[in-house]
Amino acid sequence: MDNYNSVNTEKIRKNLKTKDRLILSMDVPNKNEVLSILRELENSISTVKIGLELIYNEGTKIIDTVIDCGYKVLLDAKLMDIPNTIAGALKGISKLGVSMITMHTFGGSGMMTRAKEELLQISSKNGVMSPLLFGVTVLTSLDDSDLNAFGFKTDYASIVKNLARTAIESKIDGIICSPNEVSVLRESFGNDFLIATPGIRLPEDDAGDQKRYNTPEKAIDDGADFIIVGRSIIKSKNKIGTVSNYLERMERR
Ligand code: C5P
């Protein structure tokens, strides 16, 4: 996979192979487990998502470990703060060599616009491609009853849609949503932005804490560019077999 060009979604999409579209969510607490999983996977996929569990247990040096094993990194930082603080954080994150970064769209348009500008400025100063910036809409562990408890009067799909619109207008590169909202986002906003979906399960998997989940086929058919899969692979006894199963299911669409 070529390095990302943050302004040309169509070009990114055209260059994606199936192995680039399956992102493993590395939700484990330590480096040994990371290395053992990566050894087993033998670079059958391109990108690993590193999130709060691994960063707070191992520190950011775990990113180098994963990159040294030949993988790209999606840093699931889930940033949300005032624009100035986020811009400062991104100065540090830009030194880590990650390819994708997440932030919460709930941080608002000012935060997202400033974040994207900051990344573009840093990458042009350093002569490197900018990491792609993805906005998390509504966590896939929340449903209508959670949102109603916060005082939202509409259903989650409308909230996801409004948050996605704000993110797209703020010119960030992609949206994170559940597989169940991909079709509504594509119908409403077209194809000029990327979509990555967590909340992916095979028919035989447990949902766990996810409330808005669906199959890889549903996500891909509806227009997701990337699927993010954690426990379905991590907890599987034959991880490489499960990855192959995912890749075949995606390939067949
Ligand atoms: O194990 P599972 O496949 O459910 O993991 C999903 C991963 O995606 C977790 O690392 C979680 O933090 C992340 N995620 C999510 N919902 C979002 C954004 C990220 O589940 N809206």
Side-chain angles (χ1 to χ4, degrees):
M1 180 170 49
D2 288 334
N3 211 340
Y4 294 115
N5 174 344
S6 61
V7 291
N8 193 337
T9 307
E10 205 36 59
K11 186 173 167 210
I12 293 168
R13 192 172 285 132
K14 242 177 79 186
N15 287 334
L16 289 175
K17 302 186 186 76
T18 309
K19 67 180 285 206
D20 304 322
R21 301 179 67 189
L22 172 60
I23 299 178
L24 175 68
S25 186
M26 191 63 89
D27 296 319
V28 296
N30 63 61
K31 183 175 167 176
N32 285 344
E33 283 192 55
V34 172
L35 287 174
S36 134
I37 292 168
L38 292 184
R39 256 195 299 275
E40 187 177 343
L41 295 189
E42 293 178 333
N43 297 89
S44 51
I45 56 163
S46 313
T47 306
V48 170
K49 178 172 90 68
I50 296 182
L52 304 179
E53 179 174 2
L54 203 42
I55 288 292
Y56 285 116
N57 278 291
E58 283 288 351
T60 54
K61 61 188 184 309
I62 195 68
I63 293 171
D64 293 332
T65 307
V66 171
I67 291 175
D68 288 347
C69 290
Y71 294 85
K72 288 176 181 287
V73 171
L74 158 56
L75 179 62
D76 194 9
K78 292 207 175 69
L79 301 169
M80 186 163 98
D81 210 316
I82 60 169
N84 187 57
T85 301
I86 292 300
L90 285 169
K91 284 194 174 71
I93 291 175
S94 292
K95 296 175 190 155
L96 301 174
V98 301
S99 302
M100 300 156 115
I101 302 166
T102 66
M103 63 188 344
H104 276 291
T105 53
F106 267 109
S109 137
M111 178 198 74
M112 290 187 275
T113 308
R114 176 80 187 273
K116 186 64 205 172
E117 284 169 3
E118 188 69 33
L119 283 178
L120 288 175
Q121 243 173 47
I122 296 168
S123 55
S124 99
K125 193 169 134 217
N126 296 339
V128 295
M129 303 300 275
S130 172
L132 294 176
L133 195 53
F134 277 78
V136 176
T137 50
V138 175
L139 291 172
T140 41
S141 54
L142 303 179
D143 63 11
D144 281 343
S145 65
D146 297 294
L147 294 168
N148 292 341
F150 298 158
F152 289 102
K153 300 284 180 243
T154 51
D155 58 318
Y156 69 77
S158 332
I159 298 167
V160 169
K161 198 171 143 185
N162 290 337
L163 289 168
R165 181 188 295 108
T166 309
I168 293 162
E169 287 171 0
S170 307
K171 303 212 174 346
I172 67 170
D173 306 286
I175 303 295
I176 311 266
C177 61
S178 99
N180 302 339
E181 294 112 42
V182 175
S183 64
V184 75
L185 295 191
R186 286 294 180 218
E187 277 158 27
S188 309
F189 306 123
N191 292 314
D192 203 15
F193 62 99
L194 297 165
I195 297 183
T197 62
I200 298 289
R201 292 290 183 270
L202 295 174
E204 62 269 28
D205 288 336
D206 280 343
D209 53 359
Q210 298 287 21
K211 292 184 183 163
R212 297 176 3 258
Y213 57 92
N214 218 309
T215 59
E217 286 90 343
K218 165 82 174 154
I220 297 294
D221 286 351
D222 285 358
D225 298 292
F226 303 95
I227 63 169
I228 299 173
V229 183
R231 282 162 288 187
S232 179
I233 295 172
I234 301 279
K235 304 272 181 219
S236 143
K237 289 205 169 66
N238 174 8
K239 296 180 190 34
I240 183 80
T242 307
V243 165
S244 303
N245 184 7
Y246 268 97
L247 294 174
E248 278 162 27
R249 283 166 176 267
M250 293 163 76
E251 206 64 75
R252 266 188 245 128
R253 308 320 284 181

